[in-house]
Amino acid sequence: MKWFDNTALTLVIIGAINWLLVGIFRFDLVAFLFGNLSWLSRIIYTLVGLCGLYLISLYGRISNTPGSRS
């Protein structure tokens, strides 16, 4: 499952960089590369969002690791 965690984290980081570009420069990199709300860009947005939701579980897994000071 570690590979999925790394993949999800990578996608969320890419999404965060895209939001940074939107916020500072009003430039949507995903829309630029794949079209404004094309089916491909919508799939990318959906995958990034689902990975972000999945990574919420990371908080529980970090606090439940052996050796954590909770």
Side-chain angles (χ1 to χ4, degrees), residues 6-64:
N6 292 335
T7 302
L9 186 58
T10 301
L11 282 175
V12 169
I13 290 170
I14 290 170
I17 292 170
N18 189 54
W19 276 113
L20 177 69
L21 291 172
V22 169
I24 294 176
F25 302 113
R26 294 185 186 182
F27 177 71
D28 188 348
L29 183 62
V30 174
F32 177 76
L33 293 175
F34 302 108
N36 191 15
L37 291 181
S38 68
W39 64 270
L40 188 55
S41 64
R42 291 179 64 194
I43 289 172
I44 292 169
Y45 290 133
T46 302
L47 286 174
V48 169
L50 289 173
C51 287
L53 290 175
Y54 168 76
L55 288 177
I56 292 172
S57 70
L58 190 63
Y59 287 116
R61 290 184 282 149
I62 288 173
S63 65
N64 292 332

